[in-house]
């Protein structure tokens, strides 16, 4: 979806606009400097997106913590793409920092599609099946030389690494959520057995905003900035942010997830949503709405199991 401007997500983010993109193109990729440039509306928080012509998109990190994603994606996306059953972004060029913009940036091939959520998902059972197949394929990819979660601060680490931030978020939402049940769910997830198998590839930010649908069918997975190898439980977040009932059961069954991994995944879903809401409350209404939904689904699911 095209929007009139890029909404600011962070107090200290770097400003971007169409004029900056055109100047960067003129200086580094002049063959594309005269193509139409349009800002792209997105609930993504790390990068600003600008559609370039019909077939490309310019992607610029908004905030310092997203900077390392650029080189990682350029290195690994082409390697991962050949093994995956759905489309993923294809990097075309990497831009360099200059006096106007401080970091590396990217030009990708444009992927057609739209984001769907739990309210307008057309075929949740089919989506659950296709997404599970995608994650199974991702987990089977060779991890040689892959980025290790422990070295990149990604979500593939033990849940305890998120404990302080999660508890702070619970406290900040006091009066808006049932802090007693939410704390109980979080502590239950923390007690779950750790991942005891070999590390595998995970996406790291498996949320509705990173899935594209064409004609109602899941067609692409985007934003691999958090991808690494470690515990794949974090990729189960989507089970509570997009699926419910039968579709959630299908998703779990196809992945063959054990109880401990499922509990850790539920913990990741809860943690992500709790931390997201107070930070993005006034800047990302779509993401906040989805986070509230995920919290409610986590609570209902936990109560059903207990």
């Amino acid at each position: 979806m095209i929007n009139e401007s890029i909404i600011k997500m962070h107090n200290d983010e770097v400003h971007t606009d169409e004029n900056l993109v055109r100047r960067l193109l003129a200086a580094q990729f002049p063959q594309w400097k005269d193509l139409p440039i349009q800002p792209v509306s997105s609930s993504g928080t790390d990068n600003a997106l600008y559609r370039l012509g019909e077939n490309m998109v310019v992607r610029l990190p908004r905030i310092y913590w997203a900077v390392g994603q650029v080189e990682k994606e350029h290195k690994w996306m082409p390697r991962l793409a050949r093994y995956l059953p759905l489309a993923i972004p294809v990097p075309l060029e990497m831009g360099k920092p200059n006096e106007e913009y401080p970091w590396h940036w990217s030009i990708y091939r444009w992927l057609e599609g739209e984001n769907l959520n739990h309210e307008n998902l057309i075929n949740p059972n089919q989506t659950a099946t296709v997404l599970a197949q995608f994650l199974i394929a991702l987990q089977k990819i060779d991890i040689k030389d892959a980025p290790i979660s422990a070295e990149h601060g990604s979500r593939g680490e033990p849940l305890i690494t998120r404990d302080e931030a999660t508890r702070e978020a619970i406290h900040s939402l006091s009066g808006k959520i049932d802090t007693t049940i939410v704390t109980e769910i979080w502590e239950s997830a923390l007690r779950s057995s750790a991942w005891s198998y070999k590390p595998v590839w995970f996406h790291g930010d498996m949320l509705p905003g990173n899935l594209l649908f064409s004609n109602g069918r899941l067609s692409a997975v985007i934003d691999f900035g958090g991808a690494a190898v470690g515990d794949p439980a974090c990729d189960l977040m989507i089970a509570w942010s997009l699926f419910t009932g039968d579709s959630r059961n299908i998703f779990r069954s196809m992945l063959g997830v054990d109880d401990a991994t499922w509990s850790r995944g539920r913990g990741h879903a809860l943690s992500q949503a709790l931390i997201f809401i107070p930070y993005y409350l006034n800047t990302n209404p779509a993401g906040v709405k989805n986070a509230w939904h995920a919290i409610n689904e986590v609570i209902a699911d936990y109560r059903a199991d207990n």
Side-chain angles (χ1 to χ4, degrees):
M1 182 183 297
I2 306 300
N3 200 356
E4 292 182 355
S5 62
I6 298 294
I7 298 174
K8 185 177 180 180
M9 295 281 185
H10 314 279
N11 289 333
D12 52 349
E13 75 176 57
V14 171
H15 174 75
T16 65
D17 56 32
E18 299 98 310
N19 291 329
L20 170 65
V21 173
R22 193 168 301 283
R23 291 194 299 271
L24 290 173
L25 290 169
Q28 300 184 37
F29 304 104
Q31 69 272 32
W32 295 324
K33 66 181 177 64
D34 295 323
L35 291 176
I37 299 170
Q38 295 178 292
V40 179
S41 174
S42 169
S43 61
T45 59
D46 286 353
N47 298 277
L49 306 177
Y50 295 87
R51 188 164 184 176
L52 178 61
E54 291 295 318
N55 301 313
M56 293 176 286
V57 61
V58 176
R59 193 165 178 257
L60 302 100
R62 299 171 177 265
I63 191 77
Y64 64 90
W65 65 64
V67 175
Q69 299 174 9
V70 176
E71 292 187 58
K72 181 170 72 171
E73 290 192 346
H74 275 258
K75 177 179 179 179
W76 285 102
M77 300 296 279
R79 303 187 192 188
L80 297 178
R82 69 187 74 168
Y83 301 108
L84 296 172
L86 296 172
I88 66 174
V90 177
L92 300 175
E93 297 286 354
M94 185 191 303
K96 299 178 181 179
N98 64 13
E99 65 279 1
E100 289 199 86
Y101 182 78
W103 303 316
H104 286 90
W105 49 282
S106 299
I107 301 175
Y108 280 83
R109 194 176 307 283
W110 176 262
L111 288 174
E112 293 291 347
E114 61 178 335
N115 297 135
L116 299 180
N117 58 38
H118 65 280
E119 295 177 324
N120 55 18
L121 188 61
I122 296 171
N123 194 330
N125 290 356
Q126 180 192 66
T127 302
T129 299
V130 173
L131 185 57
Q133 291 170 339
F134 175 89
L135 292 178
I136 290 169
L138 178 63
Q139 292 172 16
K140 289 181 178 178
I141 297 175
D142 188 354
I143 66 170
K144 182 180 179 182
D145 299 325
I148 307 299
S149 59
E151 299 172 359
H152 289 260
S154 53
R155 289 195 176 109
E157 284 295 277
L159 275 179
I160 191 65
T161 61
R162 302 179 63 82
D163 187 45
E164 182 178 355
T166 301
R167 292 183 189 273
E168 288 177 357
I170 292 172
H171 177 74
S172 71
L173 294 173
S174 179
K176 298 179 181 179
I177 60 172
D178 183 339
T179 57
T180 300
I181 186 63
V182 166
T183 301
E184 179 182 329
I185 297 170
W186 176 243
E187 291 179 347
S188 174
L190 288 176
R191 291 193 298 270
S192 301
S193 300
W195 180 253
S196 59
Y197 307 100
K198 292 181 179 180
V200 296
W201 276 101
F202 58 83
H203 176 276
D205 200 25
M206 190 54 63
L207 296 168
N210 289 329
L211 303 179
L212 295 181
F213 293 79
S214 296
N215 299 317
R217 186 178 180 88
L218 182 59
S219 58
V221 178
I222 61 175
D223 195 353
F224 281 70
V229 301
D231 176 7
C234 57
D235 280 350
L236 299 178
M237 292 191 298
I238 196 71
W240 295 273
S241 58
L242 186 62
F243 302 131
T244 186
D246 288 344
S247 59
R248 185 183 295 144
N249 292 335
I250 290 170
F251 183 66
R252 178 177 182 178
S253 177
M254 287 204 63
L255 287 171
V257 175
D258 60 41
D259 290 344
T261 302
W262 190 250
S263 178
R264 294 196 308 279
R266 187 159 52 197
H268 276 288
L270 181 63
S271 174
Q272 185 277 333
L274 289 169
I275 294 170
F276 191 97
I277 291 171
Y279 187 94
Y280 294 105
L281 186 62
N282 299 314
T283 59
N284 195 334
V288 167
K289 181 179 180 181
N290 186 72
W292 280 121
H293 169 76
I295 291 172
N296 291 332
E297 284 296 309
V298 164
I299 292 172
D301 185 48
Y302 177 81
R303 284 175 168 161
D305 284 350
N306 294 272

